[in-house]
Amino acid sequence: MNLKRNLSQQVEQALKAAGAQNSPAIIRQSGKPEYGHYQANGIMGAAKKLGKNPRELAQQTLKTLVDNIGDSATFEIAGPGFINVTFSKKFITDCLTEMSNDKRLGVIAQSRQKVVVDYSSPNLAKEMHIGHLRSTAIGDANVRIMEFLGHHVIRANHVGDWGAQFGSLLAYMDKLESEGKPLATELKDLEVFYQRASEMFKTEANFAKKAREFVVRLQSGDEKCLELWKRFISESIKHCQAIYDLLDISLSTTDVKPESAYNGELNDIIILLEAAGLIELSDGAKCVFLPEFVGKDDEPLPAIIQKSDGGFPYIATDLAAVQFRAQKLAAHRAIYFVDGRQSLHFAQLFAIARAAGFIAEDQEFRHVPFGSILNKDGKPYKTREGGAVKLATVAEEAINRAKSLISDKNAQLSDAEKEKIARVVGIGAIKYAELSKNRTTDYIFDWDTMLSFEGNTAPYLQYAYTRIVSIFRHASITLEPAGGHFDLDEPTELALALKLLQYPEAVENVTEDFQANILCNYLFELAGLFSAFYENCPVLKADESKRSSRLKLCGLSGRVLQHGLGLLGISTVEQM
Ligand code: ARG
């Protein structure tokens, strides 16, 4: 059950009874545990609309609340017209019991929507680098959460596998083959392969010429060329999949629908745009000018859909993908997790698709942008030589660093255990660092902060989980609920209980604006309240009457931590 939503409905109903129609309740967590955490703030606005005295309206609202839910909470008017809500101990205990007995931990499935989520989507002409971490980690957490909330999610890995960049790669493959070098071996190390090909493109005029010819041959469907290209793409996708597996990302190769898959639709897209009267010729290119897009000096800003040489740019393929998602898949929503630097592209894309009638009124297409990854000096995160840092290298380093931390912390662990824990902690740390920030701002990639066992980090939460597990190991029981009942007295118990009850709220709030940091902050606060409780209240040494309730509280805390991290795509271990 969502405490906040239920309260909000109650307050709105009470406001309605007092004559205020359609007035939002605006429920806030007051942050004061003695107030049961909630405050209704919408009364003043409603009073203003009605021309009523706010305290009077608050009084009336309060009376209805007492009549309707007076057995679960007490109410108090505060300030110029707020209502503070204190849930009763009995109510909290009852809700907690219900939550504890629920496999879904109180999170209710929402009405099922078909949602296409476009994320990760790297270009295959390069090896995945650190810049791909954002879309991949943030997109994946949101996908997991939407799926848990009951939606039918279609993962769309819109990889770039077409275009001029592939010319030099194909020319290089061709050259190796003519020299009798086994391609399979050469393609093993894609990074070296990319570097050699682009090096040759820069230094050898003949090679560059060949590369350009390969682009034309590829686009005109030359068989030899397509065959080479397919081999390259399939190696490249294998490489991406290995990274997804290492990072525990829920994408599989069946989620790949590459740009090239839309090649056959591109001419039709032009025909449809022309029929809608949207295409204008400008210097031989087919463009769409929409009044809302203007550049410097109020010059109209075109979107080029087909270049004068007949080639189709990025946006043409994306239009075909929009059409596919909106019409063939009939998605209610399509969410694109892509770098904020592509905001103009998506604004134009969706506007054109709407103008052309590809997207219906009630379908939502949305770009969810994020900022860049910076180093400690606030500059883009690069290798010492100024190149992009490979994602595989980042993952490896995370695991190695975690391994040395784990070895320091718990030297008795076997090597195999250390290895396993290091993977979970290292990968968790880099993903959590992405997820715990407001996604719209740039963030600083710093190993020491993200791998710290203190502060809002994955290792801190994973460690908190192992502490709970160890309590149960000592008591030789499992975390799953086993009879008994909650008996809450101490303020730290009540504060922890309320926080636990807010889990559904935290999960649901993430998807409002795809801010996974809401769930991260929630888990961090939960772990903090758990520590406070554990310091104040003996568990295993408590009297029999308290022991079972406190164990239940520990068990539920552990389950929520593990489940919440799981929704973020982060695993837990039993010890570290
Ligand atoms: N491949 C693109 C890039 O690396 C991202 C694609 C995002 N998705 C899309 N439908 N445009 O920049």
Side-chain angles (χ1 to χ4, degrees):
M1 109 125 107
N2 184 325
L3 278 188
K4 188 170 169 179
R5 183 166 351 98
N6 282 19
L7 186 59
S8 163
Q9 282 162 359
Q10 289 292 341
V11 173
E12 277 163 20
Q13 210 176 315
L15 277 170
K16 202 166 159 190
Q21 305 286 342
N22 302 326
S23 295
I26 315 183
I27 304 294
R28 301 231 162 91
Q29 289 181 29
S30 74
K32 296 182 189 156
E34 64 269 33
Y35 286 143
H37 276 252
Y38 291 101
Q39 187 172 64
N41 287 357
I43 296 153
M44 289 184 300
K48 203 166 168 192
K49 266 203 275 177
L50 285 177
K52 235 182 178 168
N53 175 321
R55 282 194 69 103
E56 234 168 73
L57 181 63
Q59 198 65 53
Q60 264 178 295
T61 313
L62 183 146
K63 203 174 156 313
T64 318
L65 287 172
V66 170
D67 287 347
N68 292 350
I69 50 168
D71 55 349
S72 53
T74 54
F75 308 95
E76 173 196 75
I77 297 179
F82 310 124
I83 295 181
N84 288 330
V85 182
T86 314
F87 287 114
S88 72
K89 210 158 75 178
K90 164 136 189 353
F91 179 72
I92 291 175
T93 310
D94 289 349
C95 290
L96 208 59
T97 306
E98 205 177 296
M99 176 177 179
S100 168
N101 291 335
D102 180 8
K103 284 221 157 29
R104 295 183 54 88
L105 295 165
V107 184
I108 295 166
Q110 301 174 347
S111 63
R112 190 173 164 86
Q113 283 189 332
K114 199 187 249 190
V115 191
V116 172
V117 183
D118 185 321
Y119 72 109
S120 195
S121 305
N123 284 335
L124 298 184
K126 285 190 234 122
E127 190 158 339
M128 281 183 88
H129 58 81
I130 191 169
H132 293 114
L133 186 55
R134 302 224 79 183
S135 172
T136 308
I138 299 175
D140 203 51
N142 279 285
V143 157
R144 287 172 196 254
I145 293 171
M146 279 188 271
E147 254 170 6
F148 181 62
L149 288 174
H151 298 304
H152 172 191
V153 176
I154 300 174
R155 293 164 174 76
N157 195 358
H158 187 85
V159 301
D161 65 339
W162 199 250
Q165 320 97 291
F166 290 91
S168 43
L169 297 172
L170 296 182
Y172 189 56
M173 282 172 89
D174 185 55
K175 177 174 144 42
L176 289 175
E177 219 175 26
S178 65
E179 288 165 3
K181 302 229 171 83
L183 275 185
T185 340
E186 297 288 334
L187 284 173
K188 279 245 152 57
D189 191 339
L190 281 177
E191 192 57 20
V192 173
F193 189 87
Y194 298 129
Q195 277 163 6
R196 294 213 178 117
S198 76
E199 202 44 49
M200 289 195 68
F201 186 83
K202 279 186 223 141
T203 52
E204 291 185 29
N206 254 342
F207 181 86
K209 185 167 162 265
K210 248 219 143 132
R212 285 192 202 96
E213 281 164 17
F214 262 102
V215 178
V216 179
R217 280 173 64 189
L218 180 65
Q219 283 173 346
S220 58
D222 173 292
E223 250 174 59
K224 152 95 182 138
C225 205
L226 279 176
E227 189 263 333
L228 278 179
W229 169 77
K230 275 191 195 137
R231 279 163 72 184
F232 179 79
I233 296 303
S234 103
E235 263 330 293
S236 204
I237 287 178
K238 260 193 233 154
H239 150 85
C240 293
Q241 191 57 45
I243 293 200
Y244 296 146
D245 293 345
L246 180 61
L247 292 179
D248 196 2
I249 296 297
S250 68
L251 282 166
S252 75
T253 47
T254 50
D255 301 315
V256 173
K257 176 142 178 148
E259 291 197 29
S260 63
Y262 298 100
N263 283 351
E265 318 302 324
L266 301 180
N267 283 318
D268 288 350
I269 292 292
I270 297 290
I271 293 171
L272 288 170
L273 294 183
E274 273 167 348
L278 289 166
I279 293 285
E280 273 177 55
L281 271 180
S282 174
D283 293 332
K286 292 188 175 168
C287 303
V288 175
F289 290 89
L290 288 179
E292 60 264 46
F293 298 103
V294 283
K296 283 182 256 142
D297 315 323
D298 282 345
E299 284 284 310
L301 198 65
I304 301 172
I305 316 294
Q306 188 171 23
K307 293 186 279 187
S308 54
D309 66 5
F312 291 102
Y314 185 46
I315 196 168
T317 308
D318 251 331
L319 278 165
V322 167
Q323 194 202 29
F324 176 76
R325 293 165 184 183
Q327 298 182 348
K328 283 256 168 49
L329 295 178
H332 294 100
R333 292 197 282 163
I335 315 293
Y336 294 66
F337 289 90
V338 188
D339 195 309
R341 284 168 293 190
Q342 295 193 25
S343 290
L344 175 64
H345 164 78
F346 284 107
Q348 287 188 316
L349 171 68
F350 299 148
I352 295 169
R354 285 211 184 264
F358 296 171
I359 310 177
E361 194 85 47
D362 58 353
Q363 289 176 304
E364 187 197 2
F365 273 65
R366 182 160 163 201
H367 172 213
V368 179
F370 44 79
S372 313
I373 302 182
L374 307 176
N375 64 20
K376 274 190 182 163
D377 309 323
K379 305 244 166 60
Y381 197 87
K382 294 257 166 75
T383 60
R384 216 167 286 151
E385 297 76 40
V389 183
K390 290 202 282 178
L391 196 43
T393 313
V394 174
E396 242 164 69
E397 181 159 358
I399 295 171
N400 286 338
R401 283 177 182 257
K403 196 163 173 194
S404 86
L405 286 173
I406 302 295
S407 307
D408 290 348
K409 215 174 163 65
N410 195 347
Q412 291 116 305
L413 292 168
S414 72
D415 265 354
E417 277 166 336
K418 279 184 202 155
E419 193 69 44
K420 181 180 151 224
I421 299 169
R423 254 181 93 114
V424 170
V425 171
I427 298 301
I430 47 179
K431 285 168 91 173
Y432 193 86
E434 288 291 328
L435 298 166
S436 55
K437 315 288 183 320
N438 178 322
R439 62 171 164 73
T440 54
T441 47
D442 296 344
Y443 93 95
I444 292 173
F445 189 91
D446 177 34
W447 287 114
D448 296 331
T449 323
M450 71 177 81
L451 278 161
S452 167
F453 283 93
E454 273 150 52
N456 190 6
T457 65
Y460 169 74
L461 295 174
Q462 289 166 322
Y463 186 62
Y465 176 77
T466 61
R467 277 177 64 195
I468 297 176
V469 171
S470 92
I471 301 170
F472 284 80
R473 202 181 303 126
H474 283 114
S476 306
I477 47 174
T478 70
L479 268 71
E480 294 308 309
H485 58 271
F486 288 104
D487 175 12
L488 312 166
D489 275 316
E490 296 294 323
T492 52
E493 286 179 312
L494 275 160
L496 175 60
L498 259 170
K499 195 78 207 172
L500 286 165
L501 289 179
Q502 287 163 347
Y503 183 55
E505 199 177 302
V507 174
E508 288 172 25
N509 284 353
V510 170
T511 55
E512 264 169 32
D513 196 28
F514 307 103
Q515 292 280 15
N517 59 335
I518 294 177
L519 182 54
C520 297
N521 289 339
Y522 168 83
L523 294 173
F524 178 56
E525 284 168 17
L526 176 69
L529 288 172
F530 178 81
S531 282
F533 151 77
Y534 197 57
E535 269 159 37
N536 276 284
C537 305
V539 177
L540 294 177
K541 294 208 174 90
D543 294 345
E544 194 44 49
S545 63
K546 286 272 167 231
R547 190 174 186 262
S548 127
S549 164
R550 288 184 181 161
L551 269 173
K552 278 176 87 67
L553 213 46
C554 292
L556 188 54
S557 302
R559 283 166 64 205
V560 170
L561 274 177
Q562 185 182 41
H563 191 266
L565 284 169
L567 287 181
L568 296 170
I570 296 172
S571 306
T572 47
V573 282
E574 303 282 296
Q575 54 174 344
M576 48 197 272

